[in-house]
């Protein structure tokens, strides 16, 4: 009889726990649901403004770097823990360039890095979002998919642009710092 009661109580406990897990899956707290409409920023491509970056490409070419890819990519997002706000960034103005050196360092490592360009409507807006991006959680579509930037990266503004430079290897960090200064001082 004791054994039967124990089995029944364990079964009930198991069912309660199962119901809790299932209910959590269907009724997650707000901060883990899909975040598609919190703060959506649509950035526009402007041929005149992007033409101002041609001097960067000239400098990169002189320094032995070539453009490996030139992408317009889909929305990225970031989550500001302080304000608990999610920002989705998309639009034709969201650009990414990947550069790779023709010259190896340490024998056989070819430095490479990427630059994400975010053109905002004003210099004030660019400064605001640069501050929010200082220690962001970069996200795909939900907070569950957010993660801290693990790669070495740096942020700079120039005019109404925010530039995010990042690389996969710590040994290439000096390159993103060098070209961040170049971007910061380009005539815009």
């Amino acid at each position: 009889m004791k054994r039967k009661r124990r089995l029944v109580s364990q079964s009930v406990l198991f069912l309660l726990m199962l119901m809790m897990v299932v209910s959590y899956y269907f009724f997650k707290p707000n901060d883990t649901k899909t975040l598609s409409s919190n703060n959506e920023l649509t950035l526009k491509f402007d041929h005149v403004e992007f033409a101002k970056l041609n001097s960067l490409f000239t400098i990169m070419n002189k320094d032995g770097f070539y453009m490996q890819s030139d992408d317009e990519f889909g929305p990225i997002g970031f989550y500001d823990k302080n304000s608990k706000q999610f920002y989705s960034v998309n639009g034709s103005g969201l650009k990414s360039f990947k550069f790779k050196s023709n010259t190896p360092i340490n024998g056989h490592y070819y430095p490479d890095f990427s630059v994400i360009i975010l053109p905002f409507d004003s210099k004030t807006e660019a400064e605001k979002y640069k501050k929010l991006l200082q220690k962001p959680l970069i996200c795909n579509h939900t907070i569950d998919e957010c993660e801290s930037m693990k790669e070495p990266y740096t942020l700079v503004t120039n005019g109404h642009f925010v530039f995010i430079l990042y690389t996969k290897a710590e040994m290439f960090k000096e390159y993103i710092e060098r070209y961040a200064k170049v971007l910061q001082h380009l005539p815009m």
Side-chain angles (χ1 to χ4, degrees):
M1 194 62 155
K2 282 185 177 183
R3 204 173 202 186
K4 192 174 183 181
R5 278 189 201 166
R6 180 190 258 170
L7 185 61
V8 168
S9 66
Q10 286 177 343
S11 297
V12 169
L13 184 60
F14 174 76
L15 286 172
L16 285 171
M17 289 178 70
L18 183 64
M19 287 175 52
M20 287 173 48
V21 169
V22 169
S23 68
Y24 180 77
Y25 179 76
F26 287 107
F27 303 105
K28 292 180 183 177
N30 280 343
D31 65 339
T32 59
K33 289 187 178 179
T34 299
L35 300 167
S36 58
S37 64
N38 249 356
N39 294 298
E40 192 165 319
L41 307 168
T42 302
L43 307 177
K44 304 269 191 258
F45 180 77
D46 184 339
H47 290 284
V48 174
E49 292 297 319
F50 274 94
K52 294 178 180 179
L53 297 174
N54 286 338
S55 55
L56 169 70
F57 303 129
T58 302
I59 292 167
M60 298 295 294
N61 197 15
K62 282 183 190 174
D63 290 350
F65 280 85
Y66 64 95
M67 190 184 316
Q68 209 172 14
S69 65
D70 166 9
D71 297 323
E72 185 177 310
F73 57 100
I76 62 168
F78 61 95
Y79 181 72
D80 178 31
K81 287 182 184 178
N82 296 333
S83 67
K84 297 187 181 196
Q85 293 287 312
F86 178 80
Y87 297 86
S88 176
V89 184
N90 60 46
S92 61
L94 189 59
K95 294 284 189 188
S96 173
F97 297 96
K98 183 169 182 156
F99 297 99
K100 188 166 187 170
S101 177
N102 293 319
T103 309
I105 61 170
N106 297 336
H108 57 281
Y109 297 105
Y110 290 85
D112 67 339
F113 65 93
S114 296
V115 179
I116 297 173
I117 303 171
L118 307 171
F120 292 97
D121 290 334
S122 69
K123 184 177 181 175
T124 306
E125 198 172 272
E127 287 294 332
K128 170 189 167 186
Y129 287 106
K130 180 189 176 220
K131 287 177 185 169
L132 289 174
L133 284 163
Q134 288 298 326
K135 295 251 184 222
L137 288 175
I138 302 298
C139 310
N140 288 337
H141 302 290
T142 66
I143 290 180
D144 293 336
E145 297 173 26
C146 292
E147 59 183 54
S148 294
M149 286 282 284
K150 290 176 179 63
E151 297 97 5
Y153 76 100
T154 189
L155 294 148
V156 293
T157 58
N158 187 344
H160 66 279
F161 289 99
V162 173
F163 300 98
I164 305 169
L165 294 88
Y166 65 96
T167 184
K168 302 233 184 260
E170 194 67 38
M171 75 170 93
F172 303 149
K173 188 174 182 174
E174 71 177 82
Y175 294 97
I176 62 173
E177 290 170 353
R178 180 187 314 161
Y179 292 108
K181 288 177 185 170
V182 169
L183 284 166
Q184 199 168 18
H185 294 89
L186 281 179
M188 296 299 240

